[in-house]
């Protein structure tokens, strides 16, 4: 399959990012599958896409490191078709804690990856997509969270606040580049069945939370990916600055 456009999915090796990378490839894009530690998982996504006739590369970069983000985009410029979309998906949680128990280092890491990383990637994407810079336009989708709305008290207010920043970033950047051919939207997942809960010390969280969700089940990564791919596509051509809850009603 010949691809004319590329989508970068940060944190594309696992969970929501891996499902998004797959669906972007199914939609006809070449995909840059970014990861930071799990090269085997990223390679598995690339192999699956290639086996289906698509084009993908795995690119290691920590999105919280600005120089690594620049190198990530330079690699895409060199090895893939022109960028058309960015999915700012890479994100982390930490173990449950109250704010009065959180170290400064914890909060700084939370914002470095979940907020500053998205800023760095968006900067590089806008430089390539904006008609102001000679680009052909495109779309950015930021992966926020329902946590931005509910605050996650007693669990991870730092994470919720970082996602709140992503919401505001989405609204502001959307208006800033709306006349330059770029749409910017956010998806706010509810509780989705991925590895992220184990990384936050709560491996059973998705299944255990079913009763808290109006639809009585956690979501699947592919259900979030479908919304992201819609927001990247011409089917959402008049949608920008939107914060789309995909949360089973939560
Ligand atoms: P996940 O399964 O834990 O996967 C996280 C992904 O992010 C992995 O690909 C990981 O790469 C990558 N990553 C982590 N830190 C990174 C960094 N510094 N630089 C580059 N990549 C990095 O998480 P997920 O559940 O799919 O979450 C994806 C996004 O959805 C996050 O932004 C998360 O906050 C958001 N979200 C998730 C849920 C949920 O319930 N799952 C709910 C709301 C929002 P490696 O494989 O190399 O570690």
């Amino acid at each position: 399959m010949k691809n004319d456009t590329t989508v970068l999915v940060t944190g594309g090796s696992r969970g929501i990012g891996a499902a998004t990378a797959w669906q972007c490839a199914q939609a006809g894009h070449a995909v840059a599958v970014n990861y930071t530690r799990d090269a085997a998982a990223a390679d598995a996504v690339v192999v699956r896409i290639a086996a289906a006739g698509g084009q993908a590369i795995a690119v290691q970069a920590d999105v919280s490191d600005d120089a690594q983000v620049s190198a990530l985009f330079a690699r895409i410029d060199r090895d893939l078709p022109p960028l058309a979309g960015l999915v700012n998906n890479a994100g982390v949680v930490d173990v449950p804690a109250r704010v009065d128990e959180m170290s400064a280092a914890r909060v700084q890491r939370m914002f470095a990856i979940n907020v500053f990383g998205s800023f760095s990637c968006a900067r590089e994407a806008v430089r390539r997509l904006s008609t102001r810079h000679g680009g052909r336009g495109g779309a950015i989708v930021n992966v926020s969270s329902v946590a931005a709305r509910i605050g996650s008290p007693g669990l991870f207010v730092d994470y919720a606040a970082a996602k709140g920043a992503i919401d505001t970033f989405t609204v502001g950047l959307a208006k800033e580049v709306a006349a330059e051919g770029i749409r910017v939207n956010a998806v706010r997942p509810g509780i989705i069945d991925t590895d992220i809960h184990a990384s936050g010390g709560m491996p059973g969280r998705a299944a255990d939370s079913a009763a808290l969700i109006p639809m009585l089940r956690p979501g699947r990564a592919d259900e979030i990916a479908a919304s992201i791919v819609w927001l990247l596509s011409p089917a959402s051509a008049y949608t920008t600055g939107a914060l789309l809850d995909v949360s089973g009603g939560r």
Side-chain angles (χ1 to χ4, degrees):
M1 190 190 307
K2 182 172 179 332
N3 304 109
D4 298 327
T5 52
T6 293
V7 173
L8 165 60
V9 183
T10 68
S13 50
R14 294 184 290 113
I16 292 167
T20 301
W22 168 250
Q23 291 190 26
C24 284
Q26 295 301 106
H29 299 288
V31 186
V33 179
N34 161 251
Y35 68 100
T36 185
R37 286 169 312 181
D38 197 339
D43 287 342
V45 174
V46 168
V47 166
R48 183 182 182 207
I49 290 171
Q55 182 181 7
I57 59 171
V59 190
Q60 197 278 335
D62 179 343
V63 296
S64 69
D65 182 322
D66 200 63
Q68 292 187 36
V69 169
S70 295
L72 164 64
F73 279 80
R75 172 85 193 280
I76 294 168
D77 292 341
R78 197 184 70 207
D79 292 342
L80 290 174
L83 192 74
L86 162 67
V87 183
N88 269 322
N89 167 78
V92 293
V93 293
D94 211 321
V95 296
R98 289 169 46 97
V99 170
D100 54 12
E101 298 165 344
M102 289 178 190
S103 67
R106 166 180 167 140
V107 179
Q108 278 161 5
R109 169 179 173 266
M110 191 62 57
F111 277 73
I113 297 172
N114 293 356
V115 182
F116 304 155
S118 293
F119 265 80
S120 295
C121 290
R123 179 198 66 220
E124 293 299 319
V126 169
R127 286 177 179 172
R128 287 159 176 80
L129 300 177
S130 171
T131 54
R132 179 190 174 102
H133 298 298
R136 296 189 294 188
I140 297 173
V141 179
N142 296 323
V143 181
S144 174
S145 172
V146 160
R149 202 167 24 76
I150 62 181
S152 304
L155 284 177
F156 25 66
V157 171
D158 54 344
Y159 172 83
K163 294 301 189 181
I166 289 297
D167 287 0
T168 305
F169 174 50
T170 301
V171 171
L173 181 61
K175 292 175 181 171
E176 195 166 285
V177 298
E180 300 170 20
I182 307 175
R183 296 181 301 105
V184 186
N185 294 286
V187 169
R188 295 197 295 200
I191 297 174
I192 311 304
D193 190 7
T194 71
D195 297 343
I196 203 170
H197 308 295
S199 72
M202 298 186 287
R205 182 167 185 247
D208 295 347
S209 303
L212 303 174
I213 302 165
M215 286 180 69
L216 297 175
R217 67 170 179 87
R220 298 188 313 268
D222 66 281
E223 293 174 314
I224 305 304
S227 300
I228 293 170
V229 170
W230 177 72
L231 286 169
L232 289 171
S233 79
S236 62
Y238 199 56
T239 303
T240 199
L243 310 175
L244 177 60
D245 286 0
V246 187
S247 60
R250 184 160 180 259

